Amino acid sequence: MGGKVSATLGEIKNRADFIMYWGGNPAECHPRHFTRYTLIPKGKFLPNGRKDRTMVLVDIRETASARAADQFLQIRPGKDFELITALRAVVKGLPVDDALVAQTGITTETLHDLARQMKQCRFGVIFFGMGLSMTRGKHMNSAAILTLATELNAFTKFVTLPMRGHGNVTGSDMVMRWNTGYPFGVNLSRGYPRFNPGEYSTIDLLVRGDTDATLVLGADPGATMPQPAIEHLARTPTIVLDPKVTHTSKLARVHITTAATGVSAPGTVYRMDEVPMPLRPALKSPYPTDEEVVLKIIEAVNRKAPFAPRAESMMRTV
Amino acid sequence: MARRYLMNAARSTKQGQQINVGKDTPEYQALVTTIVMHPDDMREAGIESGMAVRVVADNGEGIFYCKDGKIPQGMVFVNYGPPTCRLMGYVTDGTGMPQSKGWEVEVFPAPGQVPPLVGPDSVKPQY
């Protein structure tokens, strides 16, 4: 476990002749992925575009993306980890139990054929989505697919990328990584960063009721998080910065309308391959940018006296 | 004991479009309060296409409309949205994210019932 063999989408466009999507539905969720980066474009080393590429889709249901695939492998729900582990064994030439493979919904012959295709390609890529990373096994599934891609490099060039979504989630991870060394779930309350998903991650903090105020930037947890987390946001002061009124702003104490980034505010967005893209605003907005609002909040906080708990409040009366 | 189905919550193009139009529009409400099941599963459960159903998960329940579609037997498809927040678990197993798909649910006919408002007015500040 550990490490990710990766590439930019430009490299994939120019080189990838074997493309696998696992637990993702780009036709619906990333509608420009096929046409700009993976299936359709002609690449430097793939002059015939789609004809030079093979696409395999692995999913538990036949989604719209299946129509674009050369091979669709419908697997049983919750069997991703088992299938990846069997595939890793076959890639290494190790024996696998036919009955155990059959439990994944795939035959051993199909598995051997898949391993052969993966080993024989010139440049392979696995894109994995929430169907892999957010189902039973979660981070262990992600670790298994990253390991599979790493191990395939003993035979050919292979890379893997998560199908990141929702605007600039990759940018958030990247900036947190430069600043603290960790991508998310970072606690700065001691003045230095501490990382512990499950303890300092947003949903866990809200569900446990550990926070007494929340600042929400570019997100709508009121429409996406588990109900106990939403109820805690409603119980405590919540401040939302968003161009629109969202579910979260309705339960918040303060909503500050900001300019839409990329439309009326400049900034930098990170693509799913972690390549930064500058955004030039096309329109003017009467509203401040998120950055301007946050800087003003920092300024106001800095004017306040440092927080120091009174000694008597730290003592228990018996 | 009622039959348990695997609820597969996911995103769709229409849902993505509606997020940018507005989550309190009737189109968005209709998308996130509709589940899709295999026709044979619906017949077995006594559900007609377009009927309201009560979906019960381990962590909560909700009223949805049900329609038939191309989906494997034993599975229920739904677009992510405020109603799925009520069904989703909140234990993250130390990863920071709860399991966002593959919840076991039971589905019961609920003729005449109407999915509750899922717009921003459905949750009020409580402090």
Side-chain angles (χ1 to χ4, degrees), chain A residues 24-318:
Chain A
N25 181 13
E28 293 246 25
C29 305
H30 299 81
R32 305 271 279 156
H33 214 252
F34 289 157
T35 51
R36 285 184 67 88
Y37 303 116
T38 56
L39 282 191
I40 311 299
K42 290 176 180 173
K44 190 172 179 184
F45 301 103
L46 301 154
N48 302 309
R50 179 70 181 92
K51 289 178 190 159
D52 287 337
R53 304 181 200 262
T54 302
M55 199 272 257
V56 177
L57 176 71
V58 183
D59 211 334
I60 59 167
R61 69 182 174 105
E62 195 177 331
T63 61
S65 300
R67 283 196 290 276
D70 295 298
Q71 190 178 9
F72 169 54
L73 302 176
Q74 186 164 354
I75 64 167
R76 295 223 173 99
K79 292 290 177 186
D80 302 81
F81 185 84
E82 288 84 340
L83 184 59
I84 297 167
T85 308
L87 187 55
R88 285 178 56 203
V90 171
V91 162
K92 290 180 182 173
L94 299 171
V96 290
D97 186 324
D98 290 354
L100 289 176
V101 174
Q103 284 178 15
T104 66
I106 300 293
T107 63
T108 310
E109 291 72 40
T110 307
L111 193 67
H112 277 276
D113 179 55
L114 182 61
R116 182 190 54 76
Q117 288 186 67
M118 294 175 98
K119 286 163 78 171
Q120 285 183 355
C121 73
R122 285 184 300 165
F123 187 114
V125 55
I126 305 172
F127 292 101
F128 61 97
M130 284 172 67
L132 181 82
S133 60
M134 291 292 163
T135 50
R136 192 175 73 92
K138 292 195 283 193
H139 61 305
M140 296 306 291
N141 293 344
S142 305
I145 206 100
L146 295 175
T147 310
L148 170 66
T150 305
E151 289 172 352
L152 278 161
N153 280 276
F155 306 95
T156 185
K157 174 70 182 168
F158 233 96
V159 299
T160 181
L161 273 85
M163 293 291 283
R164 304 305 302 275
H166 272 160
N168 200 14
V169 285
T170 306
S172 165
D173 286 359
M174 292 293 292
V175 174
M176 290 287 276
R177 271 152 57 184
W178 311 329
N179 282 294
T180 68
Y182 307 113
F184 71 102
V186 183
N187 184 340
L188 294 161
S189 64
R190 287 190 185 168
Y192 57 89
R194 289 179 295 155
F195 173 62
N196 196 8
E199 187 179 7
Y200 306 141
S201 32
T202 314
I203 290 177
D204 297 278
L205 287 168
L206 294 175
V207 168
R208 282 198 309 267
D210 283 358
T211 56
D212 54 11
T214 310
L215 174 65
V216 179
L217 276 158
D220 188 9
T224 53
M225 284 192 175
Q227 197 62 25
I230 296 172
E231 284 164 10
H232 185 69
L233 286 173
R235 271 196 302 270
T236 51
T238 298
I239 304 159
V240 175
L241 270 58
D242 206 285
K244 291 183 304 215
V245 172
T246 64
H247 282 53
T248 316
S249 39
K250 284 286 183 173
L251 60 80
R253 183 176 290 186
V254 178
H255 170 103
I256 300 173
T257 304
T258 52
T261 306
V263 178
S264 45
T268 305
V269 67
Y270 281 74
R271 269 185 346 200
M272 65 169 69
D273 57 353
E274 300 177 0
V275 171
M277 314 287 285
L279 298 176
R280 195 174 58 232
L283 302 170
K284 282 188 177 169
S285 169
Y287 301 110
T289 65
D290 290 335
E291 187 187 13
E292 286 165 353
V293 174
V294 173
L295 287 174
K296 278 188 180 170
I297 294 173
I298 293 170
E299 224 175 84
V301 169
N302 285 341
R303 280 199 298 270
K304 283 182 169 285
F307 170 74
R310 289 167 55 175
E312 59 267 31
S313 71
M314 305 290 282
M315 294 165 70
R316 281 181 64 192
T317 309
V318 181

Side-chain angles (χ1 to χ4, degrees), chain B residues 64-83:
Chain B
F64 292 79
Y65 291 116
C66 184
K67 67 175 189 181
D68 59 292
K70 194 177 176 185
I71 190 159
Q73 276 189 280
M75 195 183 289
V76 175
F77 173 80
V78 66
N79 280 295
Y80 279 123

Side-chain angles (χ1 to χ4, degrees), chain B residues 37-104:
Chain B
M37 290 178 75
H38 191 280
D40 291 345
D41 287 344
M42 288 174 65
R43 211 169 299 124
E44 190 188 307
I47 301 164
E48 289 170 21
S49 195
M51 186 188 265
V53 292
R54 188 162 63 95
V55 177
V56 181
D58 291 339
N59 296 291
E61 61 178 76
I63 302 290
F64 292 79
Y65 291 116
C66 184
K67 67 175 189 181
D68 59 292
K70 194 177 176 185
I71 190 159
Q73 276 189 280
M75 195 183 289
V76 175
F77 173 80
V78 66
N79 280 295
Y80 279 123
T84 57
C85 296
R86 295 181 178 277
L87 306 178
M88 183 191 289
Y90 51 83
V91 176
T92 70
D93 302 315
T95 66
M97 278 297 288
Q99 192 172 320
S100 306
K101 292 162 180 280
W103 317 307
E104 286 197 0

